[in-house]
Amino acid sequence: MDVTERVIVVTGAGSGIGRSIATGLLDAGHHVVLTGRAREKLDETAHGHEDAVVVPADVSSPQSVHSLFAAVAERFGRLDVLVNNAGTFGPSGAVDEIEPADWDRTVATNLTGVFLCSREAVRMMKAQTPRGGRIINNGSLSAHTPRPASVAYTATKHGVSGLTKSIALDGRDHDICCTQIDIGNAATAMTEGIGHSARQPDGSMRAEPTFDPRYVADAVTRLVELPLDVTVPTMTIMATGMPYIGRG
């Protein structure tokens, strides 16, 4: 394997930002394991690329996640990078309007899924030779400042921030780096409505600018290719004109 090649797992690779990240990494010459719940969408992302490996998995299931990383170990014998991208907006509403079951589903995907995948990845990275690796967590601008009526999503993304910092701290003695990339208004099916009309903190509705998610892929590719003695704890990438600084 050429020293520039990495073995990379991308969760939520079947659509949106995950598809863009996976495609960008494949184009850069890396081996990419595409995972998500829908095989047909993962196959669309792979598009027959010789360096793409499709392994369907549910990040909220401990057994499914374990099987995913066992497959990576069997195929490649190591893991260089994990991109924790899988996520959901979850229910819309204030804290008194959210059903516990909807809350649990959001936490299971957005937070527990990051924990489960990172747990397996760190175990591999500690044991392999050469040891170490990089974990990149898809946060959100809502990890810092919420949108209205987004309590479940916002709480999980704040949780991702704490998880990222803890992984970075506990992993550094093992050559494991951890980054949180906070993305604002990348143009995907998940954010399509924002480009037409989005609720603002003052109660008004207005369209917000978006940007091409390939620039997220470019940023992740650059992170992936850094040596392990260099880390980027946090990164924010967003549409320039969107309301963020000072929103709320």
Side-chain angles (χ1 to χ4, degrees), residues 72-106:
V72 174
E74 181 177 359
R75 176 69 177 263
F76 296 105
R78 66 176 293 106
L79 173 67
D80 297 297
V81 180
L82 164 64
V83 181
N84 279 312
N85 168 76
T88 177
F89 274 148
S92 177
V95 67
D96 60 317
E97 300 170 329
I98 302 301
E99 293 297 324
D102 293 331
W103 169 273
D104 288 344
R105 280 190 289 270
T106 308

Side-chain angles (χ1 to χ4, degrees), residues 6 20 37 51 58 67 71 103 107 113-114 131 151 168 171 178 189 216:
R6 307 284 195 275
S20 292
R37 287 178 292 183
D51 290 325
D58 178 355
S67 297
W103 169 273
V107 172
V114 177
R131 71 177 187 179
V151 64
C178 192
V216 177

Side-chain angles (χ1 to χ4, degrees), residues 6-246:
R6 307 284 195 275
V7 176
I8 304 169
V9 171
V10 180
T11 71
S15 62
I17 291 172
R19 175 171 288 181
S20 292
I21 291 172
T23 300
L25 292 169
L26 287 167
D27 289 344
H30 300 293
H31 302 277
V32 183
V33 179
L34 313 172
T35 191
R37 287 178 292 183
R39 173 176 281 278
E40 62 275 15
K41 291 185 178 181
L42 298 172
D43 288 337
E44 290 173 6
T45 300
H47 199 58
H49 199 293
E50 64 180 1
D51 290 325
V53 178
V54 171
V55 183
D58 178 355
V59 299
S60 68
S61 163
Q63 184 55 53
S64 183
V65 170
H66 179 75
S67 297
L68 163 66
F69 285 87
V72 174
E74 181 177 359
R75 176 69 177 263
F76 296 105
R78 66 176 293 106
L79 173 67
D80 297 297
V81 180
L82 164 64
V83 181
N84 279 312
N85 168 76
T88 177
F89 274 148
S92 177
V95 67
D96 60 317
E97 300 170 329
I98 302 301
E99 293 297 324
D102 293 331
W103 169 273
D104 288 344
R105 280 190 289 270
T106 308
V107 172
T109 299
N110 290 3
L111 186 56
T112 302
V114 177
F115 158 71
L116 291 173
C117 291
S118 298
R119 175 175 178 263
E120 296 288 342
V122 166
R123 287 179 171 179
M124 286 185 66
M125 290 171 179
K126 283 183 175 181
Q128 64 196 13
T129 304
R131 71 177 187 179
R134 193 175 301 274
I135 296 173
I136 302 171
N137 295 329
N138 185 344
S140 170
L141 300 189
S142 291
H144 307 279
T145 304
R147 287 186 176 276
S150 66
V151 64
Y153 180 79
T154 296
T156 60
K157 292 303 184 178
H158 275 66
V160 169
S161 291
L163 187 54
T164 300
K165 292 174 185 177
S166 289
I167 293 169
L169 177 61
D170 296 337
R172 67 188 182 192
D173 288 340
H174 305 279
D175 299 322
I176 297 171
C177 304
C178 192
T179 296
Q180 181 167 313
I181 181 167
D182 296 317
I183 303 164
N185 286 11
T188 66
M190 194 173 179
T191 59
E192 184 178 7
I194 288 173
H196 299 287
S197 180
R199 181 180 170 188
Q200 304 300 312
D202 63 2
S204 65
M205 302 291 291
R206 72 171 183 266
E208 295 185 9
T210 59
F211 73 100
D212 193 320
R214 71 187 174 93
Y215 296 114
V216 177
D218 290 346
V220 170
T221 300
R222 186 68 187 100
L223 288 172
V224 161
E225 294 174 350
L226 290 172
L228 292 179
D229 59 354
V230 178
T231 189
V232 179
T234 61
M235 174 187 289
T236 301
I237 182 168
M238 56 184 274
T240 302
M242 70 171 291
Y244 169 57
I245 304 300

